[in-house]
Amino acid sequence: MGGEEVTSMEMMKKPRSGFSSQIEITDAMVTEIVEFGGYPHPLFQSGWKELGMRNRPMPGQGVMALMAGALERSGEWDHAVALIGYENVRFKAPVVVGDAVRLEWKEVGQQPWKNPERMLIKCEWNLRNQLDEVCVESIALMLVRSIAI
């Protein structure tokens, strides 16, 4: 779209969807989130072994941050201003060390914002692992520029 202006009406006609690149979940990544977040629960230490899980899980808040970052790195949402909330978040399967995850997104709604230069986009997010299982599903509420260049 190099240099072309896309109006709000045109954006409404062209809902976006796609996938992020794959993200490998490492033990170092989970350790950093657990330590930074201060998670004392045994599940995030070695308690996962007693439950028969495939590997050490990542805390849900870390998974949500990972999903937002995956969308930003995709380059498809450079017109985004801010992630302002989530609706209907469901953790369906754990994200664990050794997983390779990717974010699938689909625009499912738009509405005007109080500032006419912005609009609110509702985007369905599904985080899938290497087994194609949906690990997390949610609706992300994103504030975007009404006119993207």
Side-chain angles (χ1 to χ4, degrees), residues 6 27 56 116-117 122 126 148:
V6 179
D27 191 60
R56 185 176 178 207
E117 295 179 2
K122 286 189 174 192
N126 290 300

Side-chain angles (χ1 to χ4, degrees), residues 12-126:
M12 286 188 204
K13 294 176 189 173
K14 302 176 189 177
R16 297 171 184 232
S17 63
F19 289 91
S20 72
S21 58
Q22 190 168 281
I23 302 165
E24 301 288 332
I25 307 300
T26 66
D27 191 60
M29 185 186 295
V30 172
T31 296
E32 190 168 331
I33 290 168
V34 167
E35 289 177 358
F36 182 75
Y39 294 94
H41 196 284
L43 180 66
F44 303 120
Q45 311 306 322
S46 60
W48 60 270
K49 295 174 186 175
E50 296 170 18
L51 295 176
M53 296 178 75
R54 287 185 289 121
N55 214 326
R56 185 176 178 207
M58 179 181 282
Q61 292 87 341
V63 174
M64 296 305 291
L66 187 78
M67 292 168 68
L71 186 71
E72 278 194 36
R73 285 189 307 279
S74 76
E76 295 291 323
W77 290 89
D78 291 341
H79 64 297
V81 175
L83 173 63
I84 61 171
Y86 295 105
E87 294 177 347
N88 304 319
V89 176
R90 300 286 184 265
F91 295 95
K92 315 263 300 166
V95 173
V96 301
V97 171
D99 277 352
V101 297
R102 62 189 160 82
L103 178 67
E104 174 185 20
W105 72 86
K106 178 181 173 188
E107 218 174 278
V108 294
Q110 302 176 348
Q111 61 189 54
W113 192 249
K114 51 192 164 196
N115 177 341
E117 295 179 2
R118 307 279 187 254
M119 65 186 337
L120 180 68
I121 301 284
K122 286 189 174 192
C123 213
E124 189 176 274
W125 285 7
N126 290 300

